[in-house]
């Protein structure tokens, strides 16, 4: 398993932006599947975004990203392998984005599938989360 630590959460007004980071204990370029999930007060854990890196499995698909429907068009996910981190930029924040945001990682191929990537059971490693609160 990989040790993951999230940072960058906080309170922001509607319409604002936040950049969350997830630091991995091992070389992030060798972790095929990394993702962000969130869990609000009334919802279960839902997938926000995932990113697949082909360095380990060499499936010939390069870097693949998926996004959850509530955030599509407002988030970007990126890897910084020099720092062993993945980042999540969230723009145009809404009150319904308020949640604890978790980083997840797995050595499998879930991030190649449009449905599997959003299943929490596909990930073996989880961070402890960072709180994002959007209110005026």
């Amino acid at each position: 398993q990989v040790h993951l630590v999230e940072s960058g959460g906080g309170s922001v007004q509607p319409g604002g932006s936040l950049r969350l980071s997830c630091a991995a204990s091992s070389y992030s370029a060798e972790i095929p599947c990394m993702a962000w999930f969130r869990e609000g007060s009334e919802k279960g854990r839902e997938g926000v975004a995932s990113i697949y890196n082909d360095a380990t499995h060499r499936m010939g698909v390069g870097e693949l990203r998926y996004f959850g429907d509530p955030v599509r068009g407002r988030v970007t996910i990126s890897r910084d392998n020099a720092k062993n981190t993945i980042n999540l930029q969230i723009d145009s924040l809404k009150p319904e984005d308020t949640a604890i945001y978790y980083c997840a990682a797995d050595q499998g191929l879930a991030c190649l599938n449009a449905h599997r990537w959003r299943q929490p059971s596909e990930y073996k490693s989880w961070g402890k989360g960072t709180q994002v609160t959007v209110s005026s």
Side-chain angles (χ1 to χ4, degrees):
Q1 288 190 353
V2 178
H3 183 60
L4 303 170
V5 179
E6 302 94 338
S7 61
S11 296
V12 63
Q13 292 187 341
S17 299
L18 276 178
R19 183 178 176 85
L20 307 181
S21 292
C22 171
S25 61
S26 60
Y27 187 36
S28 60
E30 296 177 346
I31 304 172
C33 183
M34 298 190 75
W36 285 94
F37 285 76
R38 67 185 184 184
E39 189 166 342
S41 59
E42 299 180 356
K43 295 182 180 180
R45 195 163 293 192
E46 64 174 356
V48 177
S50 69
I51 184 167
Y52 171 80
N53 183 295
D54 206 26
T56 297
H57 294 293
R58 301 185 184 278
M59 302 294 288
V61 297
E63 198 169 71
L64 183 65
R65 295 171 173 81
Y66 285 110
F67 300 95
D69 292 338
V71 300
R72 187 172 291 112
R74 298 190 293 122
V75 303
T76 56
I77 185 170
S78 61
R79 288 180 181 250
D80 184 343
N81 292 327
K83 298 180 180 179
N84 292 334
T85 62
I86 62 166
N87 301 303
L88 184 75
Q89 175 77 26
I90 317 173
D91 299 319
S92 303
L93 280 158
K94 306 175 183 179
E96 50 264 44
D97 293 321
T98 295
I100 300 175
Y101 284 70
Y102 297 92
C103 178
D106 197 78
Q107 296 291 339
L109 298 174
C111 289
L112 283 181
N113 184 281
H115 300 289
R116 287 178 58 196
W117 79 267
R118 64 184 77 221
Q119 302 302 319
S121 59
E122 293 281 357
Y123 300 84
K124 291 185 175 61
S125 299
W126 290 86
K128 294 185 177 181
T130 185
Q131 176 71 47
V132 171
T133 302
V134 184
S135 69
S136 54

